[in-house]
Amino acid sequence: MSATAKVLDPCSASRMMWFDKRDQRALFGDIRDEEHLLCDGRVLKVEPDVLMDFRQLPFADGIFRLVVFDPPHLTRAGVDSWMRAKYGMLTSDWREDIRQGFAECFRVLEQEGILIFKWNETQVLVSELLALTDERPLFGHKSGKREKTHWITFMKR
């Protein structure tokens, strides 16, 4: 881990939301390290700095100022689909996976650290996810053409 990394993105996938995909302040993690050729010829790369499972983060307690938690949001997708390659898939035990993910993200956050949670509720509602943590969000925002993507901000108690 870089000594300057104060931000953790444990589900970074192809770092789509990042302005600087090599920002030294951030540590990019994912359970996948893979490359996909898309139908239009572009290459989608999932290249984490560290291979990690968001359900069991390999870090000490309270070391990050900010965690960006953008877990896979799909419960169903074709085996070779672009959506699956881009976002990954939830397991059949997704509720427990997300519960553990929230717990781990809050564990590695410093006191009063900030967690940004991003979720697309095309297949699972945000309310179902928020029920999986005891932490309460401060505020949020919906975006996208159908306002299905939610950005929710938490501050660790």
Side-chain angles (χ1 to χ4, degrees), residues 14-156:
S14 63
R15 308 178 191 187
M16 292 170 283
M17 68 180 162
W18 287 85
F19 289 110
D20 179 355
K21 296 179 186 326
R22 301 275 177 227
D23 195 313
Q24 293 300 301
R25 295 170 295 180
L27 181 66
F28 299 100
D30 206 282
I31 201 166
R32 305 176 296 151
D33 187 348
E34 56 195 34
E35 190 172 291
H36 300 274
L37 181 62
L38 304 178
C39 61
D40 63 2
R42 290 180 298 150
V43 175
L44 175 75
K45 292 182 181 182
V46 176
E47 298 177 290
D49 297 328
V50 178
L51 281 171
M52 67 181 74
D53 183 334
F54 68 76
R55 298 167 297 186
Q56 193 171 16
L57 296 174
F59 306 108
D61 297 354
I63 62 169
F64 293 100
R65 289 184 186 164
L66 173 69
V67 174
V68 180
F69 188 33
D70 180 14
H73 62 274
L74 301 172
T75 57
R76 57 192 183 281
V79 174
D80 295 321
S81 75
W82 170 82
M83 294 289 283
R84 183 185 203 123
K86 188 173 182 180
Y87 298 111
M89 284 285 295
L90 291 166
T91 71
S92 59
D93 197 15
W94 63 265
R95 285 178 182 82
E96 186 56 30
D97 294 341
I98 299 296
R99 185 184 324 278
Q100 289 174 356
F102 270 126
E104 281 292 281
C105 288
F106 283 114
R107 180 185 65 77
V108 301
L109 265 178
E110 63 185 29
Q111 289 302 315
E112 297 185 342
I114 303 297
L115 179 119
I116 305 294
F117 178 65
K118 179 178 173 262
W119 186 259
N120 183 293
E121 68 175 3
T122 301
Q123 295 181 4
V124 178
L125 297 176
V126 165
S127 59
E128 292 181 69
L129 279 288
L130 294 180
L132 301 174
T133 180
D134 291 334
E135 297 285 341
R136 293 291 139 235
L138 292 170
F139 56 88
H141 175 73
K142 292 189 245 180
S143 65
K145 290 179 186 174
R146 293 176 184 85
E147 293 193 332
K148 293 285 188 181
T149 299
H150 295 251
W151 296 83
I152 300 170
T153 304
F154 294 82
M155 179 183 282
K156 182 178 176 178

